Amino acid sequence: MSTATRSTAPLPPAALQAMARIEQALAAPDRELVAKVGQALGLRRGWKPNAHLGETATRISMWSQIELNTLFERVGGTVTTRQVERSTSDGSSTWTATEITLTVQVPDVGPVEVVTDIEDDPEHGYRTDVPVVVVARYQSAAGHYRALATRGDYDGCLPVQDEMAMCRCQLAAAGRLDLIEAA
């Protein structure tokens, strides 16, 4: 049995141009969305989501709390936290992390989530005293406090009140009590 090799002729320039136009038309809505998000958040020109990190035009990862805080200080938004399971790339180990999400309403796009994990390792750029993290800690503590008070666990409320007071002090020192005044 022999394998025949067929040579193919290169496509004519008109066909290549038509294919390029089709490809551009199919990708245009996503490119426009990415451009709007990048401009609204002040990201570098030509920014694109990293699909291998799970990013999309409306869900972006930041490498550190300081980077996320810089964005928060510049554009504002709503801060939330949640517990997530993380794993090594080979899946050999897992751990629970606290993910902080900054949600920004981008005109003509809608909500855009910018996320990072909260870690307390100042040597590697992670800090829990930056306003975006302090706001998240305060909001989490306030929710915990409400739940404890509802159950009548007033002894449990005391350490949570201390956490909230510490957050207020950190925000006051940063001149950013305005971030929790309504809370």
Side-chain angles (χ1 to χ4, degrees), residues 49-124:
N50 291 309
H52 70 281
L53 297 176
E55 291 184 335
T56 67
T58 58
R59 183 163 171 85
I60 303 164
S61 296
M62 294 267 168
W63 289 106
S64 74
Q65 292 95 330
I66 294 174
E67 187 180 18
L68 185 66
N69 188 70
T70 300
L71 179 65
F72 176 62
E73 294 282 349
R74 191 172 57 244
V75 300
T78 304
V79 180
T80 56
T81 59
R82 68 185 183 121
Q83 298 298 304
V84 294
E85 286 296 313
R86 298 285 191 232
S87 64
T88 55
S89 59
D90 65 359
S92 63
S93 66
T94 62
W95 65 94
T96 301
T98 302
E99 180 182 85
I100 184 169
T101 302
L102 173 63
T103 304
V104 179
Q105 292 295 325
V106 175
D108 300 324
V109 173
V112 174
E113 294 181 334
V114 187
V115 301
T116 196
D117 287 352
I118 297 177
E119 298 182 37
D120 191 9
D121 186 0
E123 288 184 28
H124 296 95

Side-chain angles (χ1 to χ4, degrees), residues 124-163:
H124 296 95
Y126 297 108
R127 297 182 38 198
T128 58
D129 63 339
V130 293
V132 71
V133 177
V134 177
V135 168
R137 287 178 29 234
Y138 182 87
Q139 290 173 342
S140 176
H144 190 140
Y145 180 81
R146 284 189 294 274
L148 290 169
T150 299
R151 290 195 311 259
D153 183 356
Y154 301 111
D155 289 336
C157 289
L158 296 175
V160 178
Q161 286 175 323
D162 289 344
E163 171 74 5

